[in-house]
Amino acid sequence: MDVERPIGWWVKRLDTLLEEALDSVVAGEGLTRRHWQVLHSLAGGMDRESDVVAALADFSGDAGAIVGDLAGRGWVDRTEGGALHLTAEGTAAHDRVSRAVGRVRRHTADGLSRQEYERTVLVLTRMVENVERALGRE
């Protein structure tokens, strides 16, 4: 392992690999990682399109267009009030894809204790907060 590389290189490399791994496991459903993120957000209780778009704003891709694609597949319904919810087909798709994504997550954390994983997330969270503060985005 090349420990001389800066944290930014490792973060970018991990993100690239996660994108590739997740895209590969969701491709069988004709999805991308962004589709998974939208589908999972809706399965997790998010029910406003504006909330989904805001939650995924830091990721590339048009979350609104992805909601439209999922609706076109019959996986998402929009109510008259503008709320979104998964259909039975959407819930079944989420369950199928969730199992595959779970395997990627387990492989990603392989060899890490729960405490190491939690500590890593805590360290990355603090680093993000530090940079946001330095940029005046508190």
Side-chain angles (χ1 to χ4, degrees):
M1 177 163 71
D2 186 353
V3 295
E4 297 298 318
R5 294 181 194 244
I7 187 86
W9 186 91
W10 290 110
V11 169
K12 180 67 175 166
R13 181 69 179 143
L14 179 58
D15 182 59
T16 299
L17 290 170
L18 287 173
E19 192 86 22
E20 184 180 329
L22 287 169
D23 278 347
S24 73
V25 299
V26 300
E29 295 277 352
L31 304 175
T32 66
R33 182 181 183 190
R34 297 305 157 254
H35 282 88
W36 164 248
Q37 289 170 319
V38 170
L39 193 63
H40 193 59
S41 294
L42 294 172
M46 215 174 267
D47 67 352
R48 307 286 308 162
E49 186 167 348
S50 58
D51 293 338
V52 172
V53 170
L56 301 178
D58 288 339
F59 297 95
S60 62
D62 183 350
I66 291 171
V67 168
D69 181 58
L70 295 174
R73 294 168 186 250
W75 293 1
V76 172
D77 274 339
R78 288 183 168 107
T79 66
E80 286 185 31
L84 304 171
H85 70 274
L86 293 181
T87 63
E89 294 87 4
T91 298
H94 176 266
D95 292 347
R96 284 191 308 274
V97 175
S98 184
R99 287 188 292 276
V101 169
R103 285 190 298 274
V104 170
R105 289 178 176 165
R106 284 189 300 279
H107 291 309
T108 301
D110 190 35
L112 298 176
S113 70
R114 180 177 181 91
Q115 293 81 10
E116 287 172 317
Y117 181 85
E118 290 172 355
R119 182 74 178 154
T120 300
V121 171
L122 177 63
V123 168
L124 291 171
T125 300
R126 286 186 185 161
M127 293 176 90
V128 166
E129 291 168 350
N130 291 342
V131 174
E132 286 177 336
R133 189 171 35 262
L135 291 171
R137 296 183 187 165
E138 292 182 84

